[in-house]
Amino acid sequence: GRFLEALLLALGIVTLLFTYSRGGLASWLVSAGLVVVGLGLRNRGRIVAWLLGRDHSARPGGIRPVPVFLRVAGTAAAVLAGAAAGVWTLARSQYFALVWTRLPRLLTGAGIIRYLASIGGDIRMALAEASWRVFQDYPLLGVGLGQSGFHLLDRIPAWAGETSALTAELLSPWSMEYPNPKNLWLRLLAETGLVGSLLYVVFLILMLANSLRLATTRDRLAKAVGLAGLMTWIAWLLEGLTLDSFALPTIWLVFCLLSQSAVVL
């Protein structure tokens, strides 16, 4: 069972790397990292005992425990090898490599907006600013679900048409494209206003409370569901910065599982 779980986890990570999705990879790294750190702090005694060979893994007449040095060195080598393989895979994509090749622009004081625009985020930044302007004009109830695209073109900032070919094409009189905010949280503000956004925030808080409650129980099944919900919750917060669609079945499957588990477990 554990071998199969480890294999599926490895295959999932490899698949994620080859998507070259910057937002997806960042969401996974942050959500998985926070959960791993949280579990590590909670089980730090057992982890230290295992690294130091004090976990009583050797029984009389059985296999001798692995030396401390080999355990620590093997763990560090596995982590470094995985990180190096991931960086090498991502570096093969020139588009993904813009994240660090354009980093000097940020360090030289060009500003976060110009840096994000230089790595392919120009049209996203422009549409995000336009969505914020829509919200400012319709702060209470918004313009209605799915209606923000009719209001974005008139509010796209002037700098975007000068620096972004994609935005210039979108603003062309011959363009047949229907723009979208490309940011879930700004889309909620623009289309549902403060009322709809606050209702969705309440829903997310309930999902977080269910995740934390299940993750801190002693039941193994409940703990697994809670950890999955916690990772999904964190990832969803970050994913919402780069996409604006609710049509992601994985999110709703996990949230439904959380809601049912909160009643049953």
Side-chain angles (χ1 to χ4, degrees):
R2 291 187 177 181
F3 172 77
L4 180 59
E5 292 176 358
L7 178 61
L8 292 175
L9 176 61
L11 291 175
I13 295 174
V14 171
T15 302
L16 178 60
L17 286 175
F18 280 101
T19 64
Y20 296 108
S21 170
R22 295 175 294 185
L25 185 61
S27 300
W28 178 79
L29 286 175
V30 173
S31 60
L34 289 176
V35 171
V36 169
V37 170
L39 289 176
L41 291 176
R42 186 176 180 182
N43 301 281
R44 57 185 179 276
R46 295 173 59 185
I47 295 174
V48 172
W50 182 84
L51 289 173
L52 298 180
R54 300 172 181 169
D55 56 342
H56 308 291
S57 57
R59 298 179 180 178
I63 300 175
R64 298 182 60 185
V66 179
V68 175
F69 171 77
L70 290 181
R71 289 195 178 194
V72 176
T75 302
V79 172
L80 292 175
V87 172
W88 179 82
T89 301
L90 296 174
R92 296 178 59 190
S93 169
Q94 295 182 354
Y95 182 72
F96 196 100
L98 291 176
V99 173
W100 54 80
T101 57
R102 299 287 175 84
L103 193 59
R105 298 190 180 191
L106 179 63
L107 301 178
T108 54
I112 186 66
I113 301 296
R114 291 186 177 274
Y115 167 70
L116 293 176
S118 69
I119 63 174
D122 41 12
I123 191 170
R124 291 182 178 273
M125 302 301 297
L127 290 171
E129 185 172 337
S131 302
W132 178 252
R133 293 179 179 179
V134 173
F135 165 67
Q136 290 179 316
D137 293 337
Y138 303 91
L140 188 59
L141 298 175
V143 296
L145 284 173
Q147 303 301 307
S148 59
F150 294 111
H151 302 263
L152 292 177
L153 292 181
D154 296 334
R155 294 172 174 81
I156 289 181
W159 62 263
E162 301 172 357
T163 61
S164 171
L166 292 175
T167 310
E169 181 181 351
L170 184 64
L171 293 172
S172 170
W174 298 278
S175 175
M176 300 295 292
E177 297 184 21
Y178 182 77
N180 57 300
K182 301 186 182 298
N183 185 306
L184 178 63
W185 315 119
L186 289 174
R187 178 185 177 184
L188 281 172
L189 288 173
E191 297 185 356
T192 66
L194 289 174
V195 174
S197 299
L198 289 176
L199 288 175
Y200 191 69
V201 168
V202 171
F203 166 74
L204 289 180
I205 292 175
L206 291 175
M207 292 298 102
L208 176 61
N210 282 337
S211 299
L212 292 174
R213 185 182 71 82
L214 292 172
T216 53
T217 60
R218 294 185 178 274
D219 185 82
R220 294 185 63 182
L221 178 59
K223 186 185 294 293
V225 173
L227 291 175
L230 188 58
M231 288 186 64
T232 301
W233 194 88
I234 298 172
W236 186 231
L237 286 185
L238 297 174
E239 282 289 311
L241 298 175
T242 58
L243 54 84
D244 61 358
S245 175
F246 285 104
L248 295 176
T250 305
I251 303 298
W252 299 112
L253 286 174
V254 174
F255 284 167
C256 287
L257 183 61
L258 272 176
S259 301
Q260 183 65 23
S261 300
V263 177
V264 176
L265 299 177

